[in-house]
Amino acid sequence: MCAASRGPGHRRCRAARLEGPTADTGRGVHGPRDLDQLSTILEAAVEDGHLVKNPCKGRRTVKAPKPAKRKAKAWARPTVEAVRAGLQERYRIAVDLGVGLGLRQGEAFGLGEEDVDFDAGVVHVRRQLRWDSKGRPYFCLPKGGKTRDVPLSPNLAKRVRDHLRRFPSVACTLPWRNPEPPTTELEARQRKPITVRLVLITSQGNRINYSMWNRLSWRPALATAGVLKKVGEKVRTYGGHSRRNPSTKFPGRTCSTSSGTRTPVPSLRQASRS
């Protein structure tokens, strides 16, 4: 390793290169993660005695490249309707909730009938349904730990009523915040299970597993609507939230194509930005 590579000057050059044309995504080896990997390597060199200090820790004069911001592109109304039509009837309300209320996927799956106030024309977004790494479901606050109230339009209210008449809500009791068994009285209070009459349920009357739903319902609906190509695509990651009103978008996951490129897989929230 040359002497120049041991000073902040080299680090600045490295950062400048990473901020070049190839650093449009901030992912892989062309963005902040690359700098983290470089720092790890140099830290090992310090521990082995090959370097006096890690130049990547010169944060005062050198800053990591920032990923380029991309403005979300809204779906056209026909696309939203096509995706909705591609879902099973019991799941179509998910698109309506995303488009009409801007709910994220977990928020839609955790929405209770008691959260919908038809008289006041408002929906209380109080929780989301999540699954931990061991496949255990639980309820918790929406993203950012913030609840909110969203106006309920007459048209959406009618669709929700029609949905509940055809597919009645089902009571679901799950731990709050953390599915791990409590070990203290404080944890017992914090994780005390709550019961919610879920608006969205499976045909077996169960809560929805987002992974299964994405794979068996959401992604096929996107393919049917022409949002995804059916040939040569294999999902690599899929999670998240993509269902928002016609002015918002369902953020998505990524999939890899036969050509090796990675393309976003829209989630429920993106439709709301259409």
Side-chain angles (χ1 to χ4, degrees), residues 2-273:
C2 64
S5 65
R6 301 181 183 182
H10 174 79
R11 171 82 191 283
R12 280 192 291 270
C13 292
R14 177 68 170 162
R17 273 201 305 149
L18 294 177
E19 290 177 314
T22 59
D24 58 338
T25 62
R27 297 181 178 178
V29 295
H30 298 298
R33 291 184 184 178
D34 189 20
L35 290 181
D36 290 337
Q37 293 173 357
L38 178 61
S39 179
T40 300
I41 295 171
L42 294 178
E43 192 64 32
V46 171
E47 294 177 358
D48 291 341
H50 299 299
L51 291 177
V52 176
K53 63 178 181 179
N54 185 350
C56 282
K57 293 190 175 179
R59 301 290 182 180
R60 295 182 179 179
T61 58
V62 182
K63 295 183 179 180
K66 296 181 179 180
K69 293 183 178 180
R70 292 184 176 183
K71 188 175 181 180
K73 185 178 181 180
W75 284 0
R77 174 60 61 178
T79 300
V80 176
E81 294 299 333
V83 172
R84 185 179 186 278
L87 291 169
Q88 298 176 41
E89 291 188 16
R90 67 168 49 250
Y91 296 144
R92 290 176 182 173
I93 192 66
V95 174
D96 299 327
L97 295 175
V99 170
L101 301 176
L103 299 191
R104 298 176 173 88
Q105 189 178 80
E107 293 169 348
F109 293 164
L111 183 70
E113 183 175 1
E114 57 271 32
D115 299 322
V116 184
D117 190 335
F118 293 103
D119 294 332
V122 66
V123 173
H124 307 290
V125 185
R126 299 163 169 159
R127 77 193 71 80
Q128 61 176 317
L129 172 62
R130 298 194 64 178
W131 298 71
D132 71 356
S133 59
K134 297 181 180 179
R136 297 175 298 186
Y138 63 99
F139 291 124
C140 64
L141 288 172
K143 184 176 181 180
K146 298 179 180 179
T147 61
R148 64 188 187 278
D149 293 339
V150 185
L152 177 66
S153 69
N155 181 57
L156 180 55
K158 180 179 182 302
R159 289 199 174 192
V160 174
R161 280 196 175 100
D162 291 343
H163 171 83
L164 291 173
R165 183 171 58 253
R166 298 187 60 193
F167 310 104
S169 61
V170 173
C172 177
T173 302
L174 293 175
W176 181 255
R177 292 179 57 178
N178 192 327
E180 282 286 346
T183 57
T184 66
E185 291 185 4
L186 176 60
E187 289 181 347
R189 291 195 300 270
Q190 293 175 336
R191 303 174 189 179
K192 183 178 180 180
I194 65 171
T195 299
V196 179
R197 297 197 62 84
L198 295 178
V199 172
L200 272 163
I201 55 173
T202 68
S203 57
Q204 289 76 35
N206 298 323
R207 56 193 172 270
I208 294 178
N209 181 304
Y210 76 92
S211 180
M212 295 288 290
W213 190 83
N214 286 336
R215 181 167 59 88
L216 300 178
S217 296
W218 182 244
R219 191 168 180 271
L222 295 178
T224 300
V227 178
L228 291 181
K229 295 180 181 179
K230 298 181 181 180
V231 180
E233 289 191 344
K234 181 179 180 181
V235 171
R236 294 286 291 276
T237 56
Y238 203 98
H241 41 281
S242 207
R243 268 175 255 182
R244 292 250 175 165
N245 55 44
S247 58
T248 21
K249 268 174 104 177
F250 298 2
R253 303 307 171 214
T254 59
C255 65
S256 63
T257 65
S258 55
S259 61
T261 58
R262 292 172 65 83
T263 57
V265 177
S267 45
L268 287 179
R269 197 172 177 181
Q270 272 177 307
S272 70
R273 299 180 186 174

